Amino acid sequence: MTTQTVTTRTPPPRRLPSMSVLGPILALVILVIVGALMNSSFLSAGNINNVLSRSAFIGIIAVGMTFVITAGGLDLSVGSMAAFIAGLMILVMNAALPSLGVGVPIILLGMAVALVAGILAGLLNGFFITTLGIEAFIVTLGSMGIYRSLVTWLADGGTLSLDFDLRTFYRPVYFDGILGIAWPIIVFAAVVIVGEILMSRTRFGRHCAATGSNAHVAHYSAVNVDRTRLATYAMLGLLVGVATIMYVPRLGSASASTGVLWELEAIAAVIIGGTVLKGGFGRVWGTVIGVLILGLIDNILNLTDLVSPYLNGAIQGVIIVLAVILQREAKAKG
Amino acid sequence: MMTIPGPVLSLRGVSKSFGPVQVLHGIDIDLHAGQVLALIGENGAGKSTTMKILAGYQPPTGGTILLDGQPATLSGLRAFEDAGIVLIHQEFNLAEQLTVEQNVFLGRELRRGLLLDKTRMRQLTRDYLDRLDCAVDPDTPVSKLSNSDKQMVEIAKALGRRARILIMDEPTAVLTGSEVDTLFAQIRVLRDAGTAVLFTSHKLGEVAAIADRVTVMRDGHVVRTDAARAMTEDDMATAMVGRDVSDLYPAKPGVAADAPMALRVAGLDVPGWASDIAFDLRAGEIVGIAGLIGSGRTEAMEGLCGLRPATTTRLEIAGNPVHVRSTQDALAHGLCYMTEDRKLRGLLLTKGMRDNLTLQALHRFGRVVIDRGAEDRALTQAIADFDIRAGNRDVAVGNLSGGNQQKLLLAKIMQSQPRVLIVDEPTRGIDIGTKQQIYAFLRRLAAEGRAIIVVSSELQEVIGLSDRVLVMRQGRIAATLADDDINEATILRHAIGVAAPQTRKAS
Amino acid sequence: MSYMKTLLAGTAAIAIAGSAMAQDAETRVIGVSIPAATHGWAGGMNFHAQQAVERLEEVYPQLDFVLSTAPDAGTQVNDIEDMVATRNISALVVLPFESDPLTPPVQAVADSGVWVTVVDRGLSVPGIEDLYVAGDNTGFGRVSGEYMASKMPDGGNIVVLRGIPTTIDNERVAGFEEAIAGSGIEVIDMQHGNWNRDDSFNVMQDFLSKHPQIDAVWASDDDMAVGVLAAIEATDRTDVQFVLGGAGMKEMVQRVMNGDTMIPADVTYPPSMIATAIEMTAVGLTSTAPVSGTFTIGSVLITPENAEQFYYPDSPF
């Protein structure tokens, strides 16, 4: 064959990372600086521990949401799913208390219930979306209502509370930790590390991105599109279960108001982090930044008196939109 | 022919740079009223940029644009449109969910007071379509139209903008043969009414058929402008490529009679598309599949590879009976299909070359964690093997030229190390130089011992490449041709069903 | 499961009521429209409404009840319109989701001659209802404030958690601030915990980071008190002497009863006021006893001495 001489070009010089990478980091750094200037206790170990622990639930869920959104899906049901799983977990543990007594086995039982229920709930969403081909928005809007009603029904409109002794025994899972780092933070970090590797270094991550980017291309490239999507929902369900395991020991209760709007916070964190809402590109580390930004806004507003509490929501809204604009601005420039 | 006054639109010494890269070097182009100018050149020769400058999508970095002989001081798309210059994109610029009429007047709706003047818009749309001899109903949603009708709507839209200079980017790339004839008839109508037309095409036969004059570009320079009558197709190809391309197809070395059987298919049924397909294929052989559009060629092959529901009574790969129910099965047996639609089904346009290259064969790049180093090496190898030209390895694949996308697609399929490779329309919409390369790649892959099926609408391609040819008609194999039977007339006869009795039938 | 039974019983009661109405023209129907059980207090209110309906249907065979719960104001308007159109109610007991959107439809019901009892939240236009069973939000705040002032005679620093920004919350806080004025108690911080355990937990954690010395917390609601207590327990801070909630959640009442120093008292805002309203309406329909006017259910301070009479172990709240 005839080959023409290829014009060799010198590789372009290393440029600064693009704004889509820097944007969320920059927003986070600015928030930290603002927080530190506003209140001296902002950077104290106690406060940082508090904020990170609190963010862990949304964070763990948001990591799962990153995969779902990257693969071109959406899940609105995670908040009420968490409430339902928390309720179920409490009921099962209370019911098993007479036979198992207070101890490690009953905690493990509760955890197993949460994980299994999470996976099943995720698979159910995924089944309707992939096998039956119903819009993810509709399916998960439906299951959002279903789980919310189920937990209200389980609690008879009130609050389900873990037995007091059991709660005392289980409590350290939220409040204690290793070397002063609370368990929720450790679990969150582990989930993030596994998630980041899964997303950027494994077949599954590539398949998610390919599916979300163009499902036809993925199909023609021998990617099992339905199974990939199903797996993202199952994984998100599992992570909702993990988040619930960390949530229940904190207050030892679940009610109809548990986990309200968690789904929107998780989705917001994912998008702030630079994952594309319509799918095809996702990054787990970005989601972590998004979660931290959301957590810090609340914290800073509580620590300062500058803004009327009535305007908290407005401040949050402005920062979320700004964080996303910061990235888009960069995209437009190329 | 009427006497030609001066050109209506000209480029004089126009150059264009993107950053440090200069893509146009002082080019001169003239468009005359009542004439069709064909702008030809390989992918990357600068045709697209030239058209964009002519239509005001991009300003030149040097040189002048003359409108009616005067230096034009137009700036912005709207100013060019107001001057009667309209560019019709290769990918149509139509709102699929809106009707033909709504599209024709999109952004320039006529109003009577506060309300839309629907009657008048419908009347005018009808007028434009009549002028184009087009029978489409103005109330049809564009999504329901065929590609040729969409093309007509684009032209009607241009008429609605009182276009006197019409620039068409590869208008025939997505059209069938008869649709091309219709389009050309309408272009002639416009030309005779005094419109200046510029169009690009990779099909040199079409250029010879419709163009009055031809401008050939290569590497950002205009290398030749001449009357179409003064150039043969070979002249054009040689000018475009800069070397002789008369031997477009590689030599056929012939298939050894004892070559092992690579694929044996019996009773392949693809519901609604194809039935009772049976054929076999030896290692080292290239078999062409010809047939009219809608004959079930593509669907039969997709069914074979598990891409759509299908059944076979018997399927053997390398002598072993196998079952293929999914793309994953097909892949496991070394059976790979390269889609005809590289943009919608073949490549992830927003991703880089590396992600695309390895997508189908990720299991080869690490058991759990993907080995990025190995991926990079594979890309380096693929770039060398398939002569993929991209300025930057990280560029989004959507920004590559069609030819380079096609080469990348072929490289991607080859990552799965297929034993049986089915390529569908392997050279659609790419230039002649790249075509020649792809033909050479395919023959080389066959020589390495792979078995290859080439599905194509271009008869010349099927004839030039294939050791044997299967002709499909209405979902069945109408004939299997070999040796001297592989010629245009015989293939066509079987494809449309007027076969002479002495032709060998499929077994 | 007992939940199931309750639900079934309720459904059965309504079904029987429906068939009874068809047979006996003298049967009169009372419609009860309340917000759905989306938080603890509303859950308790739902419980008491159901209990009252079941009990009264036995006491008054000539009365039928229609109970509907609504997740938002719009649904509640639809519910009320349906009751009038299809059940021909003689009386309506309504706890308005919001005052403004419910005022016109309830007025229309009243104009058609149906007895109207309004509970807790008043309508925007006075005089529509025949009977108003009111909670006293200003009083709730005042009782809380007075208790705080008496418990901290030397004054001190307190933080306040507020509910969802509404008139109810504003009235409570106004009553509270009025009561502590001049007592030496200083409110050093105030944030919305939205009557939610998780939100109040977060707010309290941040208060603890921000303020080195907090003497007491007015959580203003028992659900929020749960979150506040969890946040305090997680630290080794000893400066917070007590937390005052409100509304009378059974767990909190129990802690008061047991003499818990962190929860020395509670202030009622009884969800059972709905039961009072239904019962008074039933009396009004079946007897000549005068029940119209305004009946205010005051907020009462629960202390270890009287806690037993506010403890309902069966209630979900």
Side-chain angles (χ1 to χ4, degrees), chain C residues 143 147-148 150-151 244 248 252-260 263-268 300-311:
Chain C
V143 171
Y147 177 76
M148 279 272 184
S150 70
K151 182 90 174 155
L244 180 63
M252 287 297 163
V253 176
Q254 196 174 23
R255 288 178 80 156
V256 175
M257 212 153 57
N258 296 344
D260 189 327
I263 305 289
D266 202 353
V267 179
T268 62
V300 182
L301 187 69
I302 306 177
T303 56
E305 291 73 42
N306 66 357
E308 207 153 343
Q309 54 191 104
F310 297 96
Y311 185 57

Coordinates of all heavy atoms in Angstrom, one line a residue, chain C residues 143 147-148 150-151 244 248 252-260 263-268 300-311:
Chain C
V143 N -45.4 30.1 77.6 CA -45.2 29.1 78.6 C -43.8 28.6 78.6 O -43.1 28.4 79.7 CB -46.2 27.9 78.5 CG1 -45.8 26.7 79.4 CG2 -47.6 28.3 78.7
Y147 N -41.0 29.2 81.6 CA -40.3 28.1 82.3 C -38.8 28.4 82.2 O -38.1 28.2 83.3 CB -40.7 26.8 81.6 CG -39.9 25.7 82.2 CD1 -40.3 25.1 83.5 CD2 -38.8 25.1 81.6 CE1 -39.6 24.1 84.1 CE2 -38.1 24.1 82.2 CZ -38.5 23.6 83.4 OH -37.8 22.6 84.0
M148 N -38.3 28.8 81.1 CA -36.9 29.1 80.9 C -36.5 30.1 82.0 O -35.5 29.9 82.6 CB -36.6 29.6 79.5 CG -36.5 28.6 78.5 SD -34.8 28.0 78.4 CE -34.9 26.9 77.0
S150 N -37.9 30.9 84.8 CA -37.9 30.4 86.2 C -36.8 29.5 86.4 O -36.2 29.4 87.5 CB -39.2 29.8 86.4 OG -39.3 28.5 85.7
K151 N -36.4 28.7 85.4 CA -35.3 27.7 85.6 C -33.9 28.3 85.6 O -33.0 27.8 86.1 CB -35.4 26.7 84.4 CG -34.4 25.6 84.4 CD -35.0 24.4 85.2 CE -34.0 23.2 85.0 NZ -34.1 22.2 86.1
L244 N -35.3 22.3 76.3 CA -36.7 22.3 76.4 C -37.3 22.1 75.0 O -37.1 22.9 74.0 CB -37.2 23.7 76.9 CG -38.7 23.8 77.1 CD1 -39.3 22.8 78.1 CD2 -39.0 25.2 77.6
G248 N -45.2 17.5 73.3 CA -45.7 16.4 74.1 C -45.5 15.0 73.5 O -46.4 14.2 73.6
M252 N -40.5 11.9 75.1 CA -40.1 13.1 75.9 C -40.9 13.2 77.2 O -40.3 13.4 78.3 CB -40.3 14.4 75.1 CG -39.3 14.5 74.0 SD -37.6 14.6 74.6 CE -36.6 14.3 73.2
V253 N -42.2 12.9 77.1 CA -43.0 13.0 78.3 C -42.5 11.9 79.3 O -42.3 12.1 80.5 CB -44.5 12.7 78.0 CG1 -45.3 12.7 79.3 CG2 -45.0 13.8 77.1
Q254 N -42.1 10.8 78.7 CA -41.5 9.7 79.6 C -40.3 10.1 80.3 O -40.1 9.9 81.5 CB -41.3 8.5 78.8 CG -41.1 7.2 79.6 CD -41.0 6.0 78.7 OE1 -40.6 6.1 77.5 NE2 -41.3 4.8 79.3
R255 N -39.4 10.8 79.5 CA -38.2 11.3 80.1 C -38.4 12.3 81.2 O -37.7 12.3 82.3 CB -37.2 11.9 79.1 CG -36.6 10.8 78.2 CD -35.8 11.4 77.1 NE -34.4 11.7 77.6 CZ -33.4 11.8 76.8 NH1 -33.5 11.6 75.5 NH2 -32.2 12.1 77.3
V256 N -39.4 13.2 81.0 CA -39.8 14.1 82.1 C -40.3 13.3 83.3 O -39.9 13.6 84.5 CB -40.9 15.1 81.6 CG1 -41.4 16.0 82.7 CG2 -40.4 15.9 80.4
M257 N -41.1 12.3 83.0 CA -41.7 11.5 84.1 C -40.6 10.9 84.9 O -40.6 10.8 86.1 CB -42.6 10.4 83.5 CG -43.7 10.0 84.3 SD -45.1 9.4 83.2 CE -44.3 8.1 82.3
N258 N -39.5 10.4 84.2 CA -38.4 9.7 84.9 C -37.4 10.7 85.6 O -36.4 10.2 86.1 CB -37.6 8.9 83.9 CG -38.5 7.8 83.3 OD1 -39.6 7.5 83.9 ND2 -38.1 7.2 82.2
G259 N -37.7 12.0 85.5 CA -36.8 12.9 86.2 C -35.5 13.1 85.5 O -34.5 13.5 86.1
D260 N -35.4 13.0 84.1 CA -34.2 13.2 83.4 C -33.8 14.7 83.5 O -34.6 15.6 83.2 CB -34.5 12.9 81.9 CG -33.3 12.9 81.0 OD1 -32.4 13.7 81.3 OD2 -33.2 12.1 80.1
I263 N -34.0 16.8 80.2 CA -35.3 17.1 79.8 C -36.2 17.3 81.0 O -37.0 16.4 81.4 CB -35.9 16.0 78.9 CG1 -35.0 15.6 77.7 CG2 -37.3 16.3 78.4 CD1 -35.0 16.7 76.7
P264 N -36.0 18.5 81.7 CA -36.8 18.6 83.0 C -38.2 18.9 82.8 O -39.0 18.8 83.7 CB -36.1 19.8 83.6 CG -35.6 20.6 82.4 CD -35.2 19.6 81.4
A265 N -38.6 19.3 81.6 CA -40.0 19.7 81.3 C -40.4 19.6 79.9 O -39.5 19.4 79.0 CB -40.3 21.1 81.9
D266 N -41.7 19.7 79.5 CA -42.1 19.8 78.2 C -43.3 20.7 78.1 O -43.9 21.0 79.2 CB -42.4 18.4 77.7 CG -42.4 18.3 76.1 OD1 -42.2 19.4 75.5 OD2 -42.5 17.2 75.6
V267 N -43.7 21.2 77.0 CA -44.8 22.1 76.8 C -45.8 21.5 75.8 O -45.4 21.0 74.8 CB -44.4 23.5 76.4 CG1 -45.6 24.4 76.3 CG2 -43.4 24.1 77.4
T268 N -47.1 21.4 76.2 CA -48.0 20.7 75.3 C -48.4 21.5 74.2 O -48.6 22.8 74.3 CB -49.2 20.2 76.0 OG1 -49.9 21.4 76.5 CG2 -48.9 19.3 77.2
V300 N -49.8 23.7 78.1 CA -49.6 23.4 79.5 C -48.2 22.9 79.7 O -47.6 22.2 78.9 CB -50.6 22.3 80.0 CG1 -50.4 22.0 81.5 CG2 -52.0 22.7 79.7
L301 N -47.6 23.3 80.9 CA -46.2 22.8 81.2 C -46.3 21.4 81.8 O -47.1 21.2 82.7 CB -45.6 23.8 82.2 CG -44.1 23.6 82.4 CD1 -43.3 23.9 81.2 CD2 -43.7 24.4 83.6
I302 N -45.5 20.5 81.2 CA -45.5 19.2 81.7 C -44.2 19.1 82.6 O -43.1 19.4 82.2 CB -45.3 18.1 80.6 CG1 -46.5 18.2 79.6 CG2 -45.3 16.7 81.2 CD1 -46.4 17.3 78.5
T303 N -44.4 18.7 83.9 CA -43.3 18.6 84.8 C -43.4 17.1 85.3 O -44.4 16.4 85.1 CB -43.4 19.6 85.9 OG1 -44.7 19.4 86.6 CG2 -43.3 21.0 85.5
P304 N -42.3 16.7 86.0 CA -42.4 15.3 86.6 C -43.6 15.1 87.4 O -44.1 13.9 87.4 CB -41.1 15.2 87.4 CG -40.2 16.2 86.8 CD -41.0 17.3 86.3
E305 N -44.2 16.1 88.0 CA -45.3 16.0 88.9 C -46.6 15.6 88.1 O -47.4 14.8 88.5 CB -45.6 17.2 89.7 CG -44.6 17.5 90.8 CD -43.3 18.1 90.2 OE1 -43.3 18.9 89.2 OE2 -42.2 17.6 90.6
N306 N -46.8 16.2 86.9 CA -48.1 15.9 86.2 C -47.9 15.1 84.9 O -48.8 15.0 84.1 CB -48.8 17.3 85.9 CG -48.0 18.1 84.9 OD1 -46.9 17.7 84.5 ND2 -48.5 19.2 84.5
A307 N -46.7 14.6 84.7 CA -46.3 14.0 83.4 C -47.3 12.8 83.0 O -47.6 12.6 81.9 CB -44.9 13.6 83.3
E308 N -47.6 12.1 84.1 CA -48.4 10.8 83.8 C -49.7 11.1 83.0 O -50.0 10.3 82.2 CB -48.7 10.2 85.2 CG -48.9 8.7 85.0 CD -48.5 8.0 86.4 OE1 -47.9 8.6 87.2 OE2 -48.9 6.9 86.5
Q309 N -50.3 12.2 83.3 CA -51.6 12.4 82.7 C -51.5 12.9 81.2 O -52.4 13.0 80.5 CB -52.5 13.4 83.4 CG -51.8 14.7 83.7 CD -52.5 15.6 84.7 OE1 -52.2 15.7 85.9 NE2 -53.6 16.2 84.2
F310 N -50.2 13.1 80.7 CA -50.0 13.5 79.3 C -49.3 12.3 78.5 O -48.9 12.5 77.4 CB -49.1 14.7 79.2 CG -49.8 15.9 79.8 CD1 -49.5 16.3 81.1 CD2 -50.7 16.7 79.1 CE1 -50.1 17.4 81.7 CE2 -51.3 17.8 79.6 CZ -51.0 18.2 80.9
Y311 N -49.2 11.2 79.2 CA -48.5 10.1 78.6 C -49.5 9.1 77.9 O -50.3 8.5 78.5 CB -47.7 9.4 79.6 CG -46.8 8.3 79.1 CD1 -45.8 8.6 78.1 CD2 -46.9 7.0 79.5 CE1 -45.0 7.6 77.6 CE2 -46.1 6.0 79.0 CZ -45.1 6.3 78.1 OH -44.3 5.3 77.6

